[in-house]
Amino acid sequence: MQEIGLIGLSVMGVNLALNMADHGVKVSIFNRTVSVIDEVMEKYDHPNFRATYSIEELVKSLSRPRKIMMMVKAGQPVDMLIEQLLPYLEAGDILIDGGNSFFKDTIRREKYLSEKNIFYLGVGVSGGEEGARRGPAIMPGGNRTAYQAVEQIFENISAKAYDEPCCRYIGEDGSGHYVKMVHNGIEYADMQLISEIYMILKEIGGLSNDELQQVFAGWNQNELESYLIEITADIFKVKDGDGYLVDKILDKASQKGTGKWTNLEAIDLGVDISVITSAVNARYMSNLKSERVKVSEMLDAPAKTLTITKEELVELARHSLYVAKIVCYAQGFKLLDKAQEVYNWTLNFDEIARIFRGGCIIRAKFLNDIAAALTMEKGVQNLIMAHFFRNIINQHLPKLREIMTLAVQSGIAVPAMSAALAYIDTYRTADSGANLIQAQRDYFGAHTFERTDQEGSFHYDWTGINE
Ligand code: 6PG
C-alpha cells in the first residue's frame, strides 16, 4: 500500500488528504494545533487516515524513503516546518511543498535540502477546495527521480481531462511553483477581462442580471467554455432579498500576492505581460473605493450610447473576449519561455497546456487548442504566431477594436482589454517609434544608436544642429 505523510490540515490539506486516502493511500496526518487532528479523524473517520500527534511520530509512522507533503502557509511557516522535520528525516526522504510558495524560496530550499541528501519537491496545486477533494491540477517540480516515487499518487488524485491526468512533471527545483505562479497571473487576467466585459454589457448594453446570466451560460457552450465563465453565469443567478447578491458585493477586489509575484518576475525578466499587469493594477484601483466615489463627482463622464443592437454588442463582446484571452495566455507562455532560459529549465509547453485543461481555476476548452498548437508548432515564439490563433485574431480583431471604441466613447474603464489590443498592435508593428526614443537617448546622453542602413554603433552631435 502506498503511504504519505501530510502536514497542515487547513481546507486544502484536509481535502488533499481525503483525496489521497480515497485513492488507497495510507495518509499519516499531522497539524500544529493538535486538536484539529482529532476533529478531522472524527469528522471524516477515514480508514486510510492515521493520526499522528507530533512531527517525530509522523515521520516514524512512515517507511523509508518517506514521502511527506507540507500544506502550510507560504513563506516562513514552510522554513520553520522544514527545520522541525530535519532532525527526523534521513537520506533519500522526500519532502513536498504543496502550497503557493514563491519559486525562489523553493529553489533555495531544494538546494539546502539536497546538501543534506533530502529530496525536495515544489508542487503547484490548483483548483481550490473542490479541486483538492475531487481532482486538482498538479504541477510538480524538483528532482525527477524523487518525483517518480510520488508520481502514481499525484496522477491518481489529479483531475482528468480527456482521460489524461492533469499532472505532469514540470522540471527542476522551482519550476512547478513557477508554473503555478503564472497560472495565477493568467487567472487574475482572465477574471479582470470577464469583469470588463460585464461592465460593458451592463453599462453600455443595459443588460440585466438575468440577461447576463443567459449570455455567460450561452458562452459556456462555445469557444469560451471555461470554469470562470461557468461560475460567472452561476453568480448572476443568486438573489438576495429583493435584488441580486452580486449587486450588493462591495467592488473592492482582494489578492494574496501571486499576481504581484508574476508581474515583478516579468519585469525582472523583461517580458511584457501587460494584460496580467493591468489585472493586478485594477485590483489595486478597486480598493480606492472612497477616492473613486469622490472623483466620480469631480470628473464628467461621457454619455453611454449604444449605436448597435444589444445582440450585436453581445457578439462583439464574445469575440473580443476570446481574442483578449488568447493574448493573456500568450503572455503567460512567453514568460514561461523566458523563465526556462533564465533558470535553466526545459519546459514542455504543450504538456503545461494539457495540465491546465482540468482541475485548475483557468481550465478552459480552448486549452485544447493551445495544447494542439504548441504540439504542432513546437518552438513557435509566441502563441499569437501559431496558425490556429493568428487566424482567429485576424478574424476577430476588428471586433475587439469596435468594442474598445464603444468602451472608450462611453467612458468604461477597460484596462486589460485595451492592454490586449495594444499588445497585438505593438507586436504586429514592424517599424515602431523606438527610433525616436533612440535618437532622444543619444541627444541627451550620447547613448548611441544602431542604423538600419549601416552596421555598428553611432552617435550624432545633436546639440550642434541649431548652430
Ligand atoms: C488556485 C488558485 C489559488 C489562489 C486563489 C486566491 O489555483 O486554486 O489560484 O491558488 O490562492 O485563487 O488568489 P487571490 O486571493 O490572490 O485572488
Side-chain angles (χ1 to χ4, degrees):
M1 188 178 195
Q2 289 261 34
E3 58 169 18
I4 200 164
L6 191 138
I7 304 174
L9 299 174
S10 61
V11 191
M12 287 295 281
V14 171
N15 282 299
L16 265 189
L18 284 166
N19 190 350
M20 290 183 191
D22 279 352
H23 282 88
V25 181
K26 190 89 189 160
V27 190
S28 292
I29 57 170
F30 175 72
N31 191 70
R32 195 165 53 121
T33 312
V34 285
S35 58
V36 175
I37 306 168
D38 289 330
E39 280 162 32
V40 167
M41 289 304 282
E42 202 176 314
K43 184 166 176 197
Y44 301 102
D45 190 28
H46 204 295
N48 285 341
F49 274 1
R50 180 165 50 201
T52 62
Y53 295 91
S54 69
I55 298 266
E56 183 177 6
E57 191 188 347
L58 173 110
V59 175
K60 292 197 169 146
S61 74
L62 301 163
S63 48
R64 294 177 63 194
R66 304 177 181 97
K67 293 164 284 221
I68 300 171
M69 185 150 186
M70 302 181 290
M71 291 300 296
V72 298
K73 207 165 146 17
Q76 224 190 4
V78 179
D79 289 311
M80 281 161 58
L81 184 53
I82 291 173
E83 290 308 318
Q84 287 169 341
L85 278 157
L86 264 176
Y88 308 107
L89 297 179
E90 291 169 89
D93 286 347
I94 303 162
L95 200 51
I96 305 154
D97 175 11
N100 263 339
S101 286
F102 184 52
F103 77 99
K104 283 189 179 163
D105 287 337
T106 306
I107 294 176
R108 167 178 58 79
R109 289 168 186 147
E110 205 251 4
K111 197 162 173 285
Y112 172 63
L113 287 166
S114 75
E115 282 158 13
K116 300 177 186 317
N117 293 319
I118 311 286
F119 292 113
Y120 192 76
L121 302 176
V123 178
V125 179
S126 174
E129 188 180 336
E130 180 66 14
R133 180 72 186 93
R134 306 276 160 220
I138 304 180
M139 295 144 246
N143 179 285
R144 191 189 268 274
T145 315
Y147 171 64
Q148 279 158 2
V150 286
E151 184 171 26
Q152 206 53 57
I153 300 179
F154 283 175
E155 287 194 357
N156 287 347
I157 65 160
S158 75
K160 309 289 174 298
Y162 308 88
D163 290 333
E164 288 175 36
C166 297
C167 171
R168 310 264 172 128
Y169 175 72
I170 300 285
E172 293 296 318
D173 52 63
S175 59
H177 276 141
Y178 198 98
V179 171
K180 175 66 192 352
M181 176 188 77
V182 174
H183 163 285
N184 280 30
I186 295 174
E187 171 186 307
Y188 277 51
D190 215 341
M191 293 165 80
Q192 176 64 24
L193 291 172
I194 294 173
S195 112
E196 290 176 15
I197 287 292
Y198 156 57
M199 289 303 279
I200 288 175
L201 294 178
K202 179 181 161 181
E203 298 291 330
I204 308 180
L207 269 73
S208 67
N209 286 330
D210 278 346
E211 288 171 316
L212 286 163
Q213 193 279 324
Q214 282 162 22
V215 166
F216 281 100
W219 287 355
N220 202 38
Q221 309 294 320
N222 60 39
E223 71 283 354
L224 289 175
E225 185 187 316
S226 61
Y227 173 70
L228 286 169
I229 293 285
E230 181 191 332
I231 65 167
T232 304
D234 281 352
I235 287 166
F236 288 115
K237 283 184 202 159
V238 179
K239 300 237 167 78
D240 182 82
D242 53 357
Y244 287 82
L245 183 57
V246 70
D247 295 326
K248 297 182 183 173
I249 296 178
L250 187 63
D251 56 333
K252 286 165 82 167
S254 314
Q255 52 185 313
K256 292 200 205 75
T258 47
K260 178 175 130 185
W261 290 349
T262 318
N263 277 300
L264 289 173
E265 176 57 16
I267 287 178
D268 232 16
L269 265 48
V271 181
D272 182 347
I273 55 161
S274 54
V275 187
I276 299 171
T277 310
S278 326
V280 176
N281 284 336
R283 288 201 194 184
Y284 295 144
M285 289 296 285
S286 80
N287 280 280
L288 304 181
K289 175 73 178 178
S290 58
E291 285 178 49
R292 287 190 287 112
V293 170
K294 266 192 223 156
V295 178
S296 74
E297 285 154 14
M298 292 174 185
L299 299 181
D300 297 337
K304 289 167 192 133
T305 40
L306 186 60
T307 46
I308 51 175
T309 67
K310 248 190 202 185
E311 291 69 30
E312 284 167 341
L313 182 70
V314 169
E315 275 308 278
L316 279 187
R318 166 186 161 189
H319 297 306
S320 310
L321 179 57
Y322 191 33
V323 172
K325 266 176 85 115
I326 294 169
V327 175
C328 110
Y329 279 73
Q331 292 183 342
F333 276 96
K334 195 79 184 145
L335 178 57
L336 289 177
D337 194 21
K338 184 72 183 175
Q340 69 168 349
E341 178 195 317
V342 172
Y343 302 109
N344 213 8
W345 299 323
T346 307
L347 300 179
N348 192 329
F349 300 120
D350 51 299
E351 289 206 344
I352 292 171
R354 282 194 180 85
I355 298 174
F356 288 165
R357 289 181 308 173
C360 62
I361 306 297
I362 64 167
R363 62 184 182 261
K365 189 167 133 189
F366 97 127
L367 274 155
N368 256 328
D369 300 318
I370 296 182
L374 294 173
T375 307
M376 276 185 302
E377 295 179 51
K378 267 203 192 300
V380 70
Q381 286 169 293
N382 191 313
L383 202 58
I384 285 173
M385 291 187 193
H387 280 84
F388 182 83
F389 290 108
R390 75 164 101 130
N391 286 342
I392 290 173
I393 293 175
N394 272 329
Q395 199 184 341
H396 296 314
L397 195 54
K399 294 162 195 160
L400 177 59
R401 293 193 194 288
E402 193 177 340
I403 208 160
M404 286 301 92
T405 308
L406 280 173
V408 170
Q409 282 170 344
S410 301
I412 304 293
V414 279
M417 296 286 291
S418 49
L421 178 56
Y423 185 82
I424 295 176
D425 279 335
T426 305
Y427 206 37
R428 54 147 210 84
T429 299
D431 294 314
S432 75
N435 50 342
L436 184 57
I437 293 171
Q438 283 298 78
Q440 291 164 335
R441 292 179 69 244
D442 190 55
Y443 193 124
F444 62 65
H447 293 299
T448 74
F449 52 86
E450 290 175 274
R451 297 181 60 111
T452 55
D453 55 352
Q454 289 173 49
E455 289 287 317
S457 178
F458 298 87
H459 168 61
Y460 180 74
D461 179 17
W462 301 94
T463 44
I465 52 179
N466 293 323
E467 283 163 13

